[in-house]
Each structure stands twice: as structure tokens, then as C-alpha cells.
Amino acid sequence: MRNKSIVREIGKKLEEANNILITSHIRPDWDAVGSVLGLGLALQENGKKVQMVLADRLPEKFQYLPGSEQIKTPDSNDYDLSIVLDCSDFLRVGDALQEEQPDVNIDHHITNLKFARLNLVEPRSAATSMMLTECFPFWGLDISQPVATALMSGILGDTLGFRTSNTSPKVLRLCASLMEKGANLAKLYEFILIQNSFEAANYWGMGLQKIQRNGKIVWTTLTLEDRKKALYPGNDDADLINILSAINHYEIAIVFIEQKTGRIKVSWRAKPGWNVAKVALKFGGGGHPAAAGAEIAGTLEEVQQQVLQMTNELLTSENYSSYN
Ligand SMILES: [Mn+2]
């Protein structure tokens, strides 16, 4: 933690507050849910009233985490401290918060806009759940088994199972301490990173049949028709991007996912050394150097053309990202 004084200030706020609202971004991932649950449960165990709120209904897979039944969609909120976790842009909170400026933002996205009154932002940190694991001793919060499970899930999710280039010795030490507190690494790893549904595998097949390459980029598309044929229930790529980014000799992988809204969801993955968040940001998205996303208006053909062009520009104009 490099911002010790902000960590202390946030600790003071937590101590003073009695009714705390914790939220994260729309389309939550494991770090969003893991950090909300990790902090929420730890504060509850310390006698605080905590509301855990997400704008989107919690996808089924997260029910695996103890305490997840407490996460609810927004209603008339009454609270005296608001905390936004793992969220770089206040817009991504959706309608989980009605106020103009939240009290606290804790996040690790390089694209963070520091929109709260107190911002603890560490772009070098591998996950918001990791930042919380580091902060808890300063805030006098113990880590129970459910809290350790939530935090470990967030770290596993964002490091893709300790594979991203920001997986430092510190990440592994913190995870070892979470194991000592009762987080079951093998079980969480299998559930979060390995297991997937038959429908997802079928959907991958549709995308894999269409893979294309040009220069250092490999990409594919998933249409609404593909989704329907595969009976895949989500509106995402079912993590097909992980398979594309495993193809050797290509620096950047992209998946274009057609949405019912007439927009195209774009997911980028880059080998170490490239910062695809820069391209995502140009399209109104965001993310991390190695993994970023955006949702762009236009047809599949139009968006493909624009995104491939911009991504190619990144590959030709930049040799090394200082954040990797
Ligand atoms: Mn995160």
C-alpha cells in the first residue's frame, strides 16, 4: 500500500459509520463480488450494519460464495457511508447509488477517474480484493473463512488464476494467508477458472469456427444467432477470449459479441507489454493493460473495422507499456 494516509482516513470513516452501503460495477466479475462480500462480511462481523448492493441482479455462479444471498439490487437506500469497489468510473455503478459523489472508492483500474471523496487507487495492484486483504490489518478487521473465500475469489478471477503479469510475490503471500484463514484454493480455482457449461462449450465452438488473424491480432465474432443456437444464456463471450489469447504468435486477441441493444461488446486480451486499456478507453470502455472491454454502437462489421484499425495502431505506435 503506497497511500497509507488514505488507508488510515478510510479506516476512520469505517469506524465512525454505522450503516454502510457497499457497491461495485455493473456486469459484476469475481473481483467485484469478492471485494463487496469480503469487505461487507468483515464489517458485519465487526458489528456494523452493511448493505451490499449491485445494480445488476447477481448472476447464478456467484451464489457459490458464502454470504452472496445478502447482495441485493437497489431499493430506497438509507446509509451514512457509501463505498464503491473495483469500479473505475462512477457511471459503471449503474443505479446502485443515487447520490452525486460517493464517499469512498477503492480500485485498481489504470483508467480510474477518482470520482469519490476519498480515492484509494493502486493500478499496480492485481485486484481490489488484494488491496482489501492488505488494508484489513490497518482497519482492525479480522479475516474469517467466508471473508477469505470472497477475497481469494476476487484475486483468482482478476489474475486469471495467478497468470497475469501483475501476479507478484505479494499476491501469492496474501493468498497463502487467505488459505491459512480457510479459503479452499483448489476448489475455488476449479469452480472459478476451469468449470463451464455444455452450452458455453457449444458457444465457443461457434466462435472458434470463425477465428481470423491479421498481423499480430487474432479475433472472432459471436452473433445473436450463435448465442441462440448454442442456448447460451449470457450476453458475454463465455470467456472464449481466454482460448483465443492462448493461441501462440499473436500479441492481442479480440472477441466481438453482438448485443440485442444494437451495440457490440468488445473484449481485448494482450500478451505482456501491450496496454489494450488505452484502446478500450478510446471507445468509452476501460480495464487493465492486459484485459479490457468496451461496448460500442454500430453493426458487427463497422465495429470490427474500427476496433481492428485502432488496435493495429496501438501495435505499431507503442512498443512497451510502462504498466506491465
Ligand atoms: Mn478488479
Side-chain angles (χ1 to χ4, degrees):
M1 293 269 114
R2 279 172 300 144
N3 300 307
K4 285 246 169 63
S5 66
I6 297 177
V7 173
R8 247 177 265 123
E9 272 185 75
I10 295 173
K12 220 172 134 230
K13 295 269 176 212
L14 292 172
E15 218 174 280
E16 288 163 3
N18 289 309
N19 188 349
I20 302 166
L21 188 144
I22 305 175
T23 187
S24 184
H25 55 81
I26 51 170
R27 293 192 297 277
D29 57 16
W30 285 98
D31 195 26
V33 178
S35 58
V36 166
L37 269 177
L39 181 59
L41 296 176
L43 288 168
Q44 281 179 349
E45 287 164 13
N46 272 264
K48 301 287 182 186
K49 183 170 181 234
V50 177
Q51 303 175 60
M52 297 179 245
V53 177
L54 290 175
D56 290 335
R57 206 174 58 82
L58 196 68
E60 210 180 281
K61 63 182 177 185
F62 298 112
Q63 288 169 13
Y64 188 74
L65 296 178
S68 59
E69 69 286 348
Q70 288 195 55
I71 298 179
K72 51 182 191 174
T73 48
D75 51 22
S76 54
N77 293 320
D78 179 27
Y79 53 86
D80 49 34
L81 183 72
S82 55
I83 303 177
V84 179
L85 299 174
D86 196 45
C87 194
S88 54
D89 175 343
F90 196 33
L91 280 176
R92 294 200 75 222
V93 166
D95 61 0
L97 277 179
Q98 301 306 327
E99 63 188 325
E100 256 167 45
Q101 193 181 28
D103 296 309
V104 177
N105 177 212
I106 302 173
D107 182 39
H108 68 124
H109 290 86
I110 194 172
T111 49
N112 191 288
L113 300 174
K114 304 198 172 170
F115 54 84
R117 290 187 187 88
L118 277 174
N119 298 284
L120 180 62
V121 179
E122 304 223 316
R124 284 166 194 271
S125 195
T128 301
S129 297
M130 171 180 164
M131 293 172 67
L132 291 175
T133 309
E134 280 188 277
C135 285
F136 279 13
F138 293 95
W139 298 340
L141 294 176
D142 286 331
I143 296 181
S144 65
Q145 187 180 13
V147 171
T149 300
L151 296 173
M152 175 77 91
S153 303
I155 297 171
L156 279 175
D158 265 19
T159 62
L160 309 173
F162 308 128
R163 287 193 297 124
T164 53
S165 61
N166 58 9
T167 304
S168 57
K170 195 156 107 190
V171 173
L172 298 178
R173 277 187 209 108
L174 287 168
C175 282
S177 76
L178 294 173
M179 282 180 87
E180 283 164 352
K181 303 285 184 187
N184 188 328
L185 176 65
K187 262 194 178 164
L188 289 170
Y189 201 109
E190 176 74 16
F191 186 80
I192 293 170
L193 293 146
I194 310 294
Q195 292 292 310
N196 227 316
S197 66
F198 182 90
E199 289 76 16
N202 205 348
Y203 188 44
W204 292 342
M206 314 245 168
L208 287 173
Q209 278 177 359
K210 296 181 278 184
I211 51 171
Q212 296 182 66
R213 57 184 169 178
N214 190 350
K216 292 172 182 166
I217 306 175
V218 60
W219 78 94
T220 196
T221 57
L222 288 165
T223 62
L224 289 169
E225 187 65 23
D226 293 333
R227 196 196 296 180
K228 212 168 119 191
K229 270 197 213 149
L231 301 175
Y232 181 69
N235 63 359
D236 52 22
D237 69 340
D239 293 333
L240 174 63
I241 191 74
N242 287 342
I243 300 175
L244 253 65
S245 62
I247 301 171
N248 62 7
H249 305 311
Y250 297 91
E251 296 296 319
I252 295 178
I254 312 174
V255 178
F256 298 89
I257 313 129
E258 192 181 20
Q259 302 295 305
K260 282 180 185 147
T261 52
R263 297 167 79 86
I264 308 296
K265 198 188 276 236
V266 184
S267 186
W268 286 265
R269 279 287 162 75
K271 301 256 161 74
W274 305 103
N275 184 355
V276 282
K278 278 189 185 170
V279 190
L281 202 59
K282 285 193 176 142
F283 288 102
H288 306 288
E295 221 175 285
I296 307 167
T299 66
L300 206 43
E301 286 69 33
E302 287 162 2
V303 172
Q304 262 188 97
Q305 199 249 324
Q306 292 164 12
V307 166
L308 289 170
Q309 191 189 328
M310 285 283 226
T311 309
N312 249 319
E313 276 172 28
L314 173 91
L315 283 165
T316 48
S317 69
E318 182 191 42
N319 292 318
Y320 190 77
S321 149
S322 57
Y323 289 95
N324 263 300

mmCIF file of all heavy atoms in Angstrom, residues 2-3 6 10 87-88 105-115 118-125 131:
data_model
loop_
_atom_site.group_PDB
_atom_site.id
_atom_site.type_symbol
_atom_site.label_atom_id
_atom_site.label_comp_id
_atom_site.label_asym_id
_atom_site.label_seq_id
_atom_site.Cartn_x
_atom_site.Cartn_y
_atom_site.Cartn_z
ATOM 1 N N ARG A 2 0.751 2.034 -1.006
ATOM 2 C CA ARG A 2 1.580 3.237 -1.048
ATOM 3 C C ARG A 2 0.846 4.450 -0.479
ATOM 4 O O ARG A 2 1.446 5.412 -0.080
ATOM 5 C CB ARG A 2 2.061 3.500 -2.471
ATOM 6 C CG ARG A 2 3.273 2.636 -2.809
ATOM 7 C CD ARG A 2 3.648 2.743 -4.253
ATOM 8 N NE ARG A 2 2.539 2.301 -5.083
ATOM 9 C CZ ARG A 2 2.246 2.849 -6.247
ATOM 10 N NH1 ARG A 2 2.919 3.863 -6.688
ATOM 11 N NH2 ARG A 2 1.236 2.371 -6.951
ATOM 12 N N ASN A 3 -0.497 4.380 -0.453
ATOM 13 C CA ASN A 3 -1.271 5.532 0.040
ATOM 14 C C ASN A 3 -1.722 5.312 1.485
ATOM 15 O O ASN A 3 -2.908 5.293 1.774
ATOM 16 C CB ASN A 3 -2.502 5.748 -0.851
ATOM 17 C CG ASN A 3 -2.100 6.023 -2.280
ATOM 18 O OD1 ASN A 3 -1.302 6.904 -2.540
ATOM 19 N ND2 ASN A 3 -2.658 5.262 -3.191
ATOM 20 N N ILE A 6 -4.388 7.665 3.093
ATOM 21 C CA ILE A 6 -5.771 7.457 2.645
ATOM 22 C C ILE A 6 -6.331 6.182 3.275
ATOM 23 O O ILE A 6 -7.491 6.145 3.687
ATOM 24 C CB ILE A 6 -5.861 7.404 1.098
ATOM 25 C CG1 ILE A 6 -5.420 8.743 0.519
ATOM 26 C CG2 ILE A 6 -7.276 7.079 0.646
ATOM 27 C CD1 ILE A 6 -5.390 8.816 -0.981
ATOM 28 N N ILE A 10 -9.721 6.180 5.436
ATOM 29 C CA ILE A 10 -10.860 5.297 5.163
ATOM 30 C C ILE A 10 -11.181 4.482 6.420
ATOM 31 O O ILE A 10 -12.345 4.313 6.783
ATOM 32 C CB ILE A 10 -10.569 4.366 3.952
ATOM 33 C CG1 ILE A 10 -10.432 5.198 2.672
ATOM 34 C CG2 ILE A 10 -11.681 3.322 3.778
ATOM 35 C CD1 ILE A 10 -9.981 4.418 1.448
ATOM 36 N N CYS A 87 -14.280 -0.234 -9.197
ATOM 37 C CA CYS A 87 -15.026 0.482 -10.215
ATOM 38 C C CYS A 87 -14.264 1.755 -10.585
ATOM 39 O O CYS A 87 -13.989 2.585 -9.725
ATOM 40 C CB CYS A 87 -16.398 0.821 -9.653
ATOM 41 S SG CYS A 87 -17.544 1.345 -10.888
ATOM 42 N N SER A 88 -13.933 1.900 -11.868
ATOM 43 C CA SER A 88 -13.058 2.992 -12.281
ATOM 44 C C SER A 88 -13.834 4.261 -12.627
ATOM 45 O O SER A 88 -13.277 5.338 -12.712
ATOM 46 C CB SER A 88 -12.251 2.558 -13.492
ATOM 47 O OG SER A 88 -13.124 2.104 -14.502
ATOM 48 N N ASN A 105 -13.879 5.287 -2.785
ATOM 49 C CA ASN A 105 -13.656 4.445 -3.954
ATOM 50 C C ASN A 105 -12.341 3.693 -3.754
ATOM 51 O O ASN A 105 -11.304 4.314 -3.524
ATOM 52 C CB ASN A 105 -13.603 5.329 -5.220
ATOM 53 C CG ASN A 105 -13.308 4.553 -6.507
ATOM 54 O OD1 ASN A 105 -12.689 5.081 -7.416
ATOM 55 N ND2 ASN A 105 -13.749 3.321 -6.590
ATOM 56 N N ILE A 106 -12.411 2.378 -3.796
ATOM 57 C CA ILE A 106 -11.194 1.562 -3.697
ATOM 58 C C ILE A 106 -11.112 0.740 -4.976
ATOM 59 O O ILE A 106 -12.021 -0.011 -5.302
ATOM 60 C CB ILE A 106 -11.241 0.644 -2.448
ATOM 61 C CG1 ILE A 106 -11.406 1.488 -1.179
ATOM 62 C CG2 ILE A 106 -9.976 -0.217 -2.376
ATOM 63 C CD1 ILE A 106 -11.632 0.680 0.095
ATOM 64 N N ASP A 107 -10.002 0.906 -5.697
ATOM 65 C CA ASP A 107 -9.954 0.305 -7.037
ATOM 66 C C ASP A 107 -8.518 0.165 -7.523
ATOM 67 O O ASP A 107 -7.608 0.826 -7.027
ATOM 68 C CB ASP A 107 -10.750 1.187 -8.008
ATOM 69 C CG ASP A 107 -10.795 0.600 -9.405
ATOM 70 O OD1 ASP A 107 -10.930 -0.629 -9.531
ATOM 71 O OD2 ASP A 107 -10.676 1.372 -10.378
ATOM 72 N N HIS A 108 -8.343 -0.677 -8.522
ATOM 73 C CA HIS A 108 -7.006 -0.899 -9.084
ATOM 74 C C HIS A 108 -6.975 -0.695 -10.602
ATOM 75 O O HIS A 108 -5.988 -1.079 -11.239
ATOM 76 C CB HIS A 108 -6.528 -2.315 -8.729
ATOM 77 C CG HIS A 108 -7.295 -3.388 -9.416
ATOM 78 N ND1 HIS A 108 -6.701 -4.348 -10.186
ATOM 79 C CD2 HIS A 108 -8.621 -3.645 -9.466
ATOM 80 C CE1 HIS A 108 -7.625 -5.157 -10.674
ATOM 81 N NE2 HIS A 108 -8.798 -4.753 -10.251
ATOM 82 N N HIS A 109 -8.037 -0.146 -11.187
ATOM 83 C CA HIS A 109 -8.031 0.059 -12.639
ATOM 84 C C HIS A 109 -7.157 1.259 -13.009
ATOM 85 O O HIS A 109 -7.264 2.325 -12.408
ATOM 86 C CB HIS A 109 -9.449 0.288 -13.169
ATOM 87 C CG HIS A 109 -10.301 -0.940 -13.124
ATOM 88 N ND1 HIS A 109 -11.016 -1.292 -12.006
ATOM 89 C CD2 HIS A 109 -10.537 -1.890 -14.054
ATOM 90 C CE1 HIS A 109 -11.671 -2.412 -12.255
ATOM 91 N NE2 HIS A 109 -11.399 -2.804 -13.495
ATOM 92 N N ILE A 110 -6.380 1.066 -14.040
ATOM 93 C CA ILE A 110 -5.483 2.126 -14.508
ATOM 94 C C ILE A 110 -6.292 3.310 -15.032
ATOM 95 O O ILE A 110 -5.830 4.446 -15.054
ATOM 96 C CB ILE A 110 -4.534 1.546 -15.577
ATOM 97 C CG1 ILE A 110 -3.379 2.466 -15.853
ATOM 98 C CG2 ILE A 110 -5.259 1.207 -16.857
ATOM 99 C CD1 ILE A 110 -2.342 1.841 -16.746
ATOM 100 N N THR A 111 -7.548 3.036 -15.432
ATOM 101 C CA THR A 111 -8.397 4.067 -16.024
ATOM 102 C C THR A 111 -9.261 4.787 -14.975
ATOM 103 O O THR A 111 -10.171 5.516 -15.329
ATOM 104 C CB THR A 111 -9.311 3.427 -17.088
ATOM 105 O OG1 THR A 111 -9.941 2.271 -16.523
ATOM 106 C CG2 THR A 111 -8.529 2.984 -18.301
ATOM 107 N N ASN A 112 -8.975 4.587 -13.681
ATOM 108 C CA ASN A 112 -9.821 5.148 -12.624
ATOM 109 C C ASN A 112 -9.897 6.676 -12.671
ATOM 110 O O ASN A 112 -8.880 7.357 -12.816
ATOM 111 C CB ASN A 112 -9.303 4.703 -11.250
ATOM 112 C CG ASN A 112 -10.290 5.044 -10.154
ATOM 113 O OD1 ASN A 112 -10.458 6.209 -9.794
ATOM 114 N ND2 ASN A 112 -10.955 4.038 -9.620
ATOM 115 N N LEU A 113 -11.121 7.195 -12.526
ATOM 116 C CA LEU A 113 -11.352 8.648 -12.637
ATOM 117 C C LEU A 113 -11.390 9.359 -11.278
ATOM 118 O O LEU A 113 -11.658 10.547 -11.211
ATOM 119 C CB LEU A 113 -12.663 8.904 -13.397
ATOM 120 C CG LEU A 113 -12.720 8.348 -14.831
ATOM 121 C CD1 LEU A 113 -14.100 8.536 -15.441
ATOM 122 C CD2 LEU A 113 -11.659 9.007 -15.708
ATOM 123 N N LYS A 114 -11.132 8.643 -10.201
ATOM 124 C CA LYS A 114 -11.088 9.219 -8.842
ATOM 125 C C LYS A 114 -12.316 10.076 -8.556
ATOM 126 O O LYS A 114 -12.210 11.268 -8.266
ATOM 127 C CB LYS A 114 -9.789 10.003 -8.655
ATOM 128 C CG LYS A 114 -8.586 9.117 -8.935
ATOM 129 C CD LYS A 114 -7.300 9.657 -8.369
ATOM 130 C CE LYS A 114 -6.202 8.612 -8.537
ATOM 131 N NZ LYS A 114 -4.882 9.073 -8.250
ATOM 132 N N PHE A 115 -13.467 9.457 -8.645
ATOM 133 C CA PHE A 115 -14.744 10.160 -8.580
ATOM 134 C C PHE A 115 -15.307 10.302 -7.169
ATOM 135 O O PHE A 115 -16.288 11.004 -6.969
ATOM 136 C CB PHE A 115 -15.766 9.446 -9.477
ATOM 137 C CG PHE A 115 -15.902 7.971 -9.152
ATOM 138 C CD1 PHE A 115 -16.734 7.539 -8.133
ATOM 139 C CD2 PHE A 115 -15.182 7.028 -9.860
ATOM 140 C CE1 PHE A 115 -16.848 6.199 -7.819
ATOM 141 C CE2 PHE A 115 -15.293 5.671 -9.559
ATOM 142 C CZ PHE A 115 -16.128 5.266 -8.531
ATOM 143 N N LEU A 118 -12.979 10.150 -1.132
ATOM 144 C CA LEU A 118 -11.695 9.520 -0.792
ATOM 145 C C LEU A 118 -11.426 8.416 -1.810
ATOM 146 O O LEU A 118 -12.245 7.510 -1.965
ATOM 147 C CB LEU A 118 -11.779 8.894 0.602
ATOM 148 C CG LEU A 118 -11.553 9.782 1.817
ATOM 149 C CD1 LEU A 118 -11.825 8.971 3.088
ATOM 150 C CD2 LEU A 118 -10.139 10.344 1.835
ATOM 151 N N ASN A 119 -10.285 8.521 -2.485
ATOM 152 C CA ASN A 119 -9.982 7.534 -3.519
ATOM 153 C C ASN A 119 -8.697 6.786 -3.188
ATOM 154 O O ASN A 119 -7.629 7.388 -3.099
ATOM 155 C CB ASN A 119 -9.809 8.233 -4.876
ATOM 156 C CG ASN A 119 -11.078 8.944 -5.304
ATOM 157 O OD1 ASN A 119 -12.030 8.329 -5.741
ATOM 158 N ND2 ASN A 119 -11.088 10.266 -5.145
ATOM 159 N N LEU A 120 -8.820 5.477 -3.016
ATOM 160 C CA LEU A 120 -7.644 4.637 -2.846
ATOM 161 C C LEU A 120 -7.492 3.839 -4.142
ATOM 162 O O LEU A 120 -8.220 2.881 -4.384
ATOM 163 C CB LEU A 120 -7.827 3.694 -1.647
ATOM 164 C CG LEU A 120 -6.660 2.751 -1.355
ATOM 165 C CD1 LEU A 120 -5.396 3.517 -1.001
ATOM 166 C CD2 LEU A 120 -7.015 1.775 -0.237
ATOM 167 N N VAL A 121 -6.571 4.301 -4.995
ATOM 168 C CA VAL A 121 -6.422 3.702 -6.326
ATOM 169 C C VAL A 121 -4.987 3.233 -6.507
ATOM 170 O O VAL A 121 -4.050 4.026 -6.401
ATOM 171 C CB VAL A 121 -6.801 4.714 -7.432
ATOM 172 C CG1 VAL A 121 -6.609 4.085 -8.804
ATOM 173 C CG2 VAL A 121 -8.242 5.182 -7.264
ATOM 174 N N GLU A 122 -4.822 1.953 -6.754
ATOM 175 C CA GLU A 122 -3.480 1.392 -6.939
ATOM 176 C C GLU A 122 -3.451 0.539 -8.198
ATOM 177 O O GLU A 122 -3.720 -0.662 -8.159
ATOM 178 C CB GLU A 122 -3.095 0.550 -5.720
ATOM 179 C CG GLU A 122 -3.175 1.335 -4.423
ATOM 180 C CD GLU A 122 -2.004 1.082 -3.493
ATOM 181 O OE1 GLU A 122 -1.627 -0.075 -3.332
ATOM 182 O OE2 GLU A 122 -1.483 2.074 -2.941
ATOM 183 N N PRO A 123 -3.107 1.177 -9.336
ATOM 184 C CA PRO A 123 -3.155 0.450 -10.618
ATOM 185 C C PRO A 123 -2.204 -0.746 -10.683
ATOM 186 O O PRO A 123 -2.392 -1.619 -11.511
ATOM 187 C CB PRO A 123 -2.745 1.511 -11.647
ATOM 188 C CG PRO A 123 -2.902 2.816 -10.963
ATOM 189 C CD PRO A 123 -2.700 2.575 -9.511
ATOM 190 N N ARG A 124 -1.192 -0.766 -9.823
ATOM 191 C CA ARG A 124 -0.283 -1.910 -9.871
ATOM 192 C C ARG A 124 -0.809 -3.106 -9.107
ATOM 193 O O ARG A 124 -0.250 -4.201 -9.187
ATOM 194 C CB ARG A 124 1.085 -1.516 -9.301
ATOM 195 C CG ARG A 124 1.870 -0.675 -10.275
ATOM 196 C CD ARG A 124 3.053 -0.014 -9.575
ATOM 197 N NE ARG A 124 3.587 1.037 -10.417
ATOM 198 C CZ ARG A 124 4.530 0.844 -11.336
ATOM 199 N NH1 ARG A 124 5.037 -0.352 -11.513
ATOM 200 N NH2 ARG A 124 4.964 1.844 -12.066
ATOM 201 N N SER A 125 -1.857 -2.892 -8.345
ATOM 202 C CA SER A 125 -2.412 -3.989 -7.564
ATOM 203 C C SER A 125 -3.180 -4.948 -8.480
ATOM 204 O O SER A 125 -3.868 -4.526 -9.397
ATOM 205 C CB SER A 125 -3.343 -3.415 -6.495
ATOM 206 O OG SER A 125 -3.602 -4.403 -5.533
ATOM 207 N N MET A 131 -6.156 -5.506 -2.591
ATOM 208 C CA MET A 131 -5.983 -4.257 -1.847
ATOM 209 C C MET A 131 -6.676 -4.361 -0.486
ATOM 210 O O MET A 131 -6.136 -3.943 0.538
ATOM 211 C CB MET A 131 -6.565 -3.080 -2.640
ATOM 212 C CG MET A 131 -5.804 -2.766 -3.921
ATOM 213 S SD MET A 131 -6.658 -1.538 -4.936
ATOM 214 C CE MET A 131 -6.523 -0.066 -3.904
#
